[in-house]
C-alpha cells in the first residue's frame, strides 16, 4: 500500500527533511507519525502526496512510484488519497455541501452518486444539519469534520492527516480522532501525523517516531515516547 | 470530458465571476479601458482607409480620341471599356459636350468666338474600382487605334499608394501592439484575482483535480468579463463615435468642403460588435490561462 525504501528528502536549501527512512504500511493499518517540531512528519506525508519528491530512495503509494511519476498522473494518485490538514483548507466560497460534492465533481462522478454519497459522508461526520452553511459560519471542529467528509466522500484507500487536531481543543480533538478510528474500522488505511501525546498513548496504534528526519522507533500498539 | 462536467465548469466559472465581484469589476474596468483605447485607434484607422478610398475613387482616367477617329474606332474603344471588369463607371463625352463644357468654363468670353465643336476631341472619362490598376489599364488600352492620348494622375497615385501601404503596415502594427498590451494588463489584473485564490487552487490540486478542471472556471470567468467588457465598450464607442460623426459631418463640413469625411458606422456596426466580442473574450481567456499557469505547479 505505502512503502518507503531508504528515503532521504533534502530540500533545496540543504536542510534534511527525512533521512534514510524505510517502512511499509499495509492496507487497513492505523499509523501515528510522531516526533518533535521539525522532525520530518509533514515531509513524510508530503512525499506520499507527491507534494515533494524523494532525493534518494523510493516511495510507492497505491502502485505509483512517487519519484518517477508524470505530472499528468498526480491527480490520479491524489484521488486515491483523502487528505486532512491542520488548517482545514476548505473552499471559502462554497457551502459545506458544495465543498464535499466538489471532490466528487473533480472525479466526474455521476450526479446521482453525488446526491447519494455526499449526505452519507456528512452524516458520518455528524454535519448533516450544516450542509448549507459556509465554512466561516462553522467552528474549527466542524470545519475539520467537513474536511474529513470531503476526504472520505470518494472512499479513498488511504486517509492522510497532518496534525488534524492542531487547532482544536482537547475534547474536539478526541472526537475527531474517534472518527478516524471509525473510518479505519471500515477498512480505510489511516496515517496521522500528530503531537497529541495523550491520544496516541490511549489509542494503542502503530507509532512511527521521528527525530531529525530519522525513524527512531516503529512500534505496533505503541506510545508517544517508547522507552523500551 | 463529460457533458455534465462541462456544464458544471460553466456554472462554476459564471458563479465565481459574481462571487468575486470586486476583482471581476477591476478586470472589467481593465477590459473596458483597453478596448476603448483600441477602439479609438481602430476608428482612426477605419477613417483613414475610408478617406483614402474616397479620394482614390475620385480619380479618373481621361482617354482622348484623335480628331479624325472613326465612329467604329470610338465604339470599339467603348466596347473594350464596358467589358473591362476593373471599370467602375465611365462617361463618353462627345465633341458637342466638350464644347458646351468649355463654353461654360470660359463663360462665353471672346476666346471662344470662332471655335466650333469640330476643333475639340471626343473623350472617355473612366473611374476604376481600384485606382491602383490605372497603370495597367492604360497600358492595355493604349494599343487601341484612334486614341490620341490618355491622362491620369500617375505620380499622385504612386505617392498615395506608398502612403497607403505604410498606413496599412503602421495601423496593423499599432493595433497588434495595443492588443498585446491589453492582454498583458488584463492578465495582470486577473493574476491578482488568481493570487487571491491560489489557496483555492492548491486545495483543488490536493483533491485530485487535473489542470484543466481548475483552469476552465477561470477561463470562463475571463471570457464572461471579456464579453461584458466588449459589449459595454462597444456601446460607449459607438455612442461617442456617432456624436463625433454627426458633429463633423453636419456642422464642420457642410456640403461644399468635402475633402475629409467621417465614416458612418451604420453599415459595419454588427461586424464591429462581433470584433469587440471576439477580442474581449479571447483576451479574457488568454489572460486567465497566463495567470493560472504559475499556480498550477503544486
Ligand atoms: N519547503 C521546505 N524548504 C526547506 N526546508 C524545509 C521545507 N519544508 C520543511 N523543511 C525543513 O525540513 C525539516 C522537517 O520539516 P517538517 O515540516 O517535515 O517537520 P514537522 O515534523 O512536520 O514539524 P512540525 O511538527 O513543526 O509541523 C525542518 O527542519 C524544516 O525546516
Ligand atoms: Mg508539520
Amino acid at each position: 500500500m505505502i512503502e518507503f525504501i531508504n528515503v532521504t528528502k533534502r530540500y533545496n536549501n540543504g536542510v534534511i527533511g527525512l533521512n534514510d527512512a524505510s517502512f511499509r504500511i499495509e492496507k487497513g493499518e492505523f499509523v501515528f507519525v510522531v516526533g518533535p517540531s521539525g522532525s520530518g512528519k509533514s515531509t513524510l506525508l508530503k512525499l506520499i502526496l507527491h507534494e515533494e519528491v524523494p532525493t534518494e530512495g523510493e516511495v510507492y503509494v497505491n502502485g505509483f512510484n512517487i519519484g518517477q511519476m508524470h505530472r499528468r498522473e498526480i491527480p490520479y494518485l491524489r484521488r486515491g488519497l483523502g487528505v486532512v490538514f491542520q488548517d482545514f483548507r476548505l473552499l471559502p466560497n462554497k457551502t459545506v455541501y458544495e465543498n464535499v460534492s466538489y471532490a466528487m465533481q473533480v472525479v466526474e462522478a455521476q450526479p446521482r452518486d453525488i446526491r447519494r454519497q455526499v449526505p452519507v459522508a456528512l452524516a458520518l461526520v455528524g454535519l448533516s444539519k450544516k450542509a448549507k452553511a459556509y465554512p466561516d459560519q462553522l467552528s474549527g471542529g466542524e470545519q475539520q469534520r467537513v474536511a474529513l467528509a470531503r476526504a472520505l466522500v470518494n472512499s479513498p484507500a488511504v486517509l492522510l492527516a497532518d496534525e488534524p487536531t492542531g487547532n482544536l481543543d482537547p475534547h474536539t480533538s478526541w472526537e475527531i480522532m474517534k472518527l478516524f478510528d471509525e473510518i479505519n474500522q471500515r477498512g480505510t488505511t489511516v496515517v496521522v501525523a500528530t503531537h497529541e501525546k495523550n491520544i496516541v498513548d490511549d489509542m494503542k496504534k502503530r507509532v512511527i517516531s521521528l527525530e531529525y528526519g530519522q525513524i527512531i522507533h516503529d512500534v505496533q500498539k505503541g506510545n508517544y515516547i517508547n522507552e523500551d | 470530458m463529460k457533458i455534465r462536467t462541462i456544464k458544471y465548469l460553466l456554472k462554476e466559472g459564471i458563479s465565481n465571476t459574481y462571487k468575486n465581484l470586486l476583482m471581476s469589476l477591476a478586470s472589467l474596468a481593465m477590459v473596458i479601458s483597453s478596448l476603448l483605447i483600441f477602439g479609438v485607434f481602430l476608428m482612426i484607422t477605419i477613417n483613414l482607409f475610408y478617406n483614402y478610398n474616397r479620394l482614390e475613387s475620385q480619380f479618373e482616367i481621361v482617354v482622348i480620341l484623335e480628331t479624325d477617329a472613326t465612329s467604329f474606332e470610338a465604339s470599339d474603344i467603348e466596347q473594350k471599356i464596358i467589358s473591362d471588369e476593373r471599370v467602375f463607371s465611365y462617361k463618353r463625352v462627345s465633341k458637342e459636350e466638350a464644347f458646351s463644357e468649355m463654353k461654360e468654363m470660359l463663360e462665353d468670353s471672346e476666346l471662344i468666338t470662332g471655335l466650333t465643336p469640330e476643333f475639340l476631341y471626343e473623350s472617355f472619362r473612366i473611374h476604376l474600382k481600384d485606382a491602383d490598376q490605372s497603370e495597367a489599364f492604360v497600358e492595355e488600352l493604349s494599343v487601341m487605334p484612334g486614341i490620341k492620348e490618355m491622362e491620369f494622375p500617375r505620380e499622385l497615385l504612386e505617392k498615395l499608394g506608398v502612403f497607403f501601404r505604410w498606413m496599412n503596415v503602421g495601423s496593423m502594427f499599432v493595433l497588434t501592439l495595443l492588443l498585446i498590451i491589453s492582454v498583458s494588463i488584463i492578465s495582470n489584473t486577473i493574476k491578482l484575482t488568481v493570487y487571491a485564490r491560489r489557496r483555492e487552487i492548491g486545495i483543488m490540486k490536493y483533491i485530485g483535480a487535473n489542470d484543466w478542471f481548475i483552469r476552465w472556471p477561470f477561463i470562463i470567468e475571463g471570457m464572461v468579463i471579456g464579453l461584458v467588457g466588449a459589449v459595454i465598450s462597444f456601446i460607449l464607442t459607438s455612442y461617442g463615435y456617432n456624436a463625433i460623426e454627426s458633429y463633423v459631418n453636419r456642422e464642420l463640413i457642410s456640403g461644399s468642403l468635402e475633402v475629409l469625411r467621417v465614416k458612418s458606422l451604420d453599415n459595419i456596426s454588427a461586424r464591429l460588435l462581433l470584433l469587440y466580442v471576439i477580442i474581449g473574450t479571447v483576451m479574457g481567456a488568454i489572460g486567465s490561462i497566463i495567470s493560472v499557469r504559475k499556480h498550477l505547479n503544486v
Side-chain angles (χ1 to χ4, degrees):
Chain A
M1 179 117 291
I2 297 173
E3 184 166 21
F4 278 53
I5 306 172
N6 303 112
V7 177
T8 296
K9 172 64 195 178
R10 195 176 296 110
Y11 286 105
N12 288 339
N13 57 2
V15 174
I16 303 267
L18 205 60
N19 194 355
D20 196 25
S22 297
F23 62 89
R24 260 180 90 93
I25 297 174
E26 303 296 342
K27 186 169 163 35
E29 275 196 89
F30 191 122
V31 182
F32 280 120
V33 180
V34 303
S37 185
S39 59
K41 303 183 292 297
S42 297
T43 303
L44 189 151
L45 291 180
K46 282 176 182 169
L47 287 165
I48 297 175
L49 268 172
H50 197 293
E51 200 184 326
E52 300 288 351
V53 289
T55 317
E56 280 164 43
E58 280 172 67
V59 177
Y60 293 96
V61 179
N62 289 341
F64 289 99
N65 182 344
I66 297 295
Q68 310 283 321
M69 282 173 69
H70 195 277
R71 232 180 89 78
R72 274 200 303 275
E73 294 178 306
I74 299 173
Y76 300 96
L77 164 78
R78 290 181 179 165
R79 288 174 195 187
L81 306 170
V83 209
V84 173
F85 298 94
Q86 179 172 2
D87 56 356
F88 321 135
R89 301 200 191 172
L90 300 175
L91 298 170
N93 279 336
K94 291 184 189 297
T95 64
V96 166
Y97 185 93
E98 288 166 346
N99 262 284
V100 178
S101 65
Y102 183 79
M104 291 189 79
Q105 303 282 5
V106 161
V107 300
E108 303 194 54
Q110 297 277 353
R112 85 181 111 84
D113 289 340
I114 296 177
R115 282 195 295 273
R116 199 181 49 223
Q117 295 284 110
V118 176
V120 170
L122 286 176
L124 180 71
V125 298
L127 271 185
S128 302
K129 290 217 172 71
K130 303 271 185 177
K132 289 202 172 68
Y134 283 88
D136 59 8
Q137 299 168 329
L138 301 178
S139 72
E142 287 168 334
Q143 289 187 47
Q144 194 59 299
R145 287 162 191 269
V146 178
L148 194 53
R150 179 182 64 190
L152 292 172
V153 74
N154 285 322
S155 319
V158 182
L159 178 62
L160 302 173
D162 194 356
E163 299 188 36
T165 59
N167 284 338
L168 306 176
D169 63 62
H171 175 73
T172 315
S173 299
W174 257 112
E175 285 182 352
I176 295 286
M177 285 297 188
K178 274 192 243 156
L179 268 174
F180 279 120
D181 200 19
E182 240 179 271
I183 289 152
N184 176 243
Q185 306 291 327
R186 294 160 183 248
T188 308
T189 310
V190 176
V191 182
V192 181
T194 187
H195 284 294
E196 306 269 6
K197 183 179 183 314
N198 295 337
I199 298 178
V200 173
D201 288 348
D202 276 21
M203 281 178 70
K204 298 276 178 267
K205 302 292 185 186
R206 177 177 170 189
V207 179
I208 295 177
S209 308
L210 292 170
E211 217 174 275
Y212 301 115
Q214 272 179 315
I215 298 181
I216 53 165
H217 290 291
D218 182 352
V219 190
Q220 301 293 334
K221 297 194 177 170
N223 287 326
Y224 190 87
I225 297 160
N226 290 273
E227 274 145 332
D228 47 333
Chain B
M1 211 182 275
K2 293 175 180 149
I3 301 280
R4 63 167 176 275
T5 305
I6 295 172
K7 266 201 228 155
Y8 175 78
L9 294 174
L10 265 171
K11 215 183 81 203
E12 276 289 296
I14 291 167
S15 85
N16 283 346
T17 310
Y18 65 76
K19 278 183 174 174
N20 301 287
L21 195 60
L22 210 62
M23 283 301 194
S24 300
L25 288 178
S27 309
L28 185 65
M30 285 301 158
V31 172
I32 292 174
S33 33
S34 301
L35 277 177
L36 284 181
I37 295 168
F38 174 80
V40 169
F41 275 87
L42 185 66
M43 295 305 150
I44 292 173
T45 309
I46 286 176
N47 275 288
L48 280 173
F49 280 89
Y50 171 69
N51 280 296
Y52 172 77
N53 283 328
R54 272 186 66 249
L55 209 61
E56 214 188 40
S57 69
Q58 285 168 8
F59 290 130
E60 56 181 20
I61 298 169
V62 183
V63 179
I64 299 166
L65 303 188
E66 304 274 13
T67 23
D68 56 359
T70 65
S71 64
F72 288 119
E73 283 169 340
S75 56
D76 267 2
I77 292 168
E78 183 163 22
Q79 205 51 51
K80 174 116 172 103
I81 293 168
I82 291 172
S83 62
D84 197 305
E85 298 243 303
R86 290 166 293 189
V87 173
F88 178 69
S89 66
Y90 80 99
K91 191 179 169 214
R92 184 168 175 174
V93 183
S94 65
K95 289 179 180 179
E96 287 73 21
E97 281 168 316
F99 182 68
S100 58
E101 259 183 36
M102 186 178 258
K103 245 166 62 180
E104 216 169 277
M105 225 160 65
L106 300 175
E107 287 171 339
D108 294 313
S109 74
E110 277 146 38
L111 282 170
I112 211 151
T113 42
L115 209 67
T116 64
E118 285 315 303
F119 287 98
L120 291 173
Y121 307 99
E122 184 169 10
S123 65
F124 292 97
R125 291 178 194 160
I126 303 162
H127 282 233
L128 294 186
K129 288 172 190 157
D130 179 359
D132 289 339
Q133 306 279 330
S134 304
E135 184 92 55
F137 179 80
V138 166
E139 187 90 18
E140 281 171 38
L141 206 62
S142 64
V143 300
M144 303 289 293
I147 294 176
K148 181 173 177 284
E149 60 179 15
M150 290 188 272
E151 289 170 358
F152 72 98
R154 182 194 307 258
E155 234 176 70
L156 190 59
L157 272 175
E158 269 170 17
K159 276 183 187 150
L160 265 174
V162 170
F163 174 69
F164 178 76
R165 274 190 290 280
W166 279 109
M167 195 170 81
N168 211 338
V169 173
S171 57
M172 284 303 142
F173 178 75
V174 171
L175 290 177
T176 313
L177 198 70
L178 274 175
L179 282 184
I180 293 170
I181 293 171
S182 303
V183 168
S184 92
I185 291 174
I186 290 165
S187 87
N188 269 310
T189 316
I190 298 174
K191 235 175 234 169
L192 288 178
T193 89
V194 173
Y195 186 77
R197 281 149 70 188
R198 68 194 184 288
R199 263 180 64 86
E200 213 172 299
I201 294 176
I203 294 167
M204 294 171 182
K205 296 228 68 168
Y206 281 117
I207 296 172
N210 63 33
D211 290 352
W212 281 105
F213 198 91
I214 295 170
R215 215 180 266 142
W216 269 113
F218 282 101
I219 294 174
I220 289 159
E221 200 175 328
M223 286 168 76
V224 168
I225 291 168
L227 179 71
V228 174
V231 172
I232 293 175
S233 17
F234 173 76
I235 292 170
L236 291 177
T237 308
S238 31
Y239 262 101
Y241 185 87
N242 285 338
I244 293 171
E245 188 232 1
S246 58
Y247 178 73
V248 174
N249 284 352
R250 265 150 240 157
E251 309 283 328
L252 226 56
I253 310 168
S254 39
S256 58
L257 194 76
E258 275 244 8
V259 183
L260 287 176
R261 270 191 143 269
V262 178
K263 185 177 168 61
S264 155
L265 284 188
D266 297 346
N267 294 325
I268 56 167
S269 62
R271 262 182 296 165
L272 213 56
L273 176 62
L274 187 68
L275 178 72
Y276 269 59
V277 165
I278 290 172
I279 291 175
T281 44
V282 169
M283 274 196 316
I286 295 175
S288 295
I289 292 175
I290 295 173
S291 335
V292 178
R293 199 178 45 192
K294 201 179 84 188
H295 297 284
L296 285 177
N297 292 315
V298 181

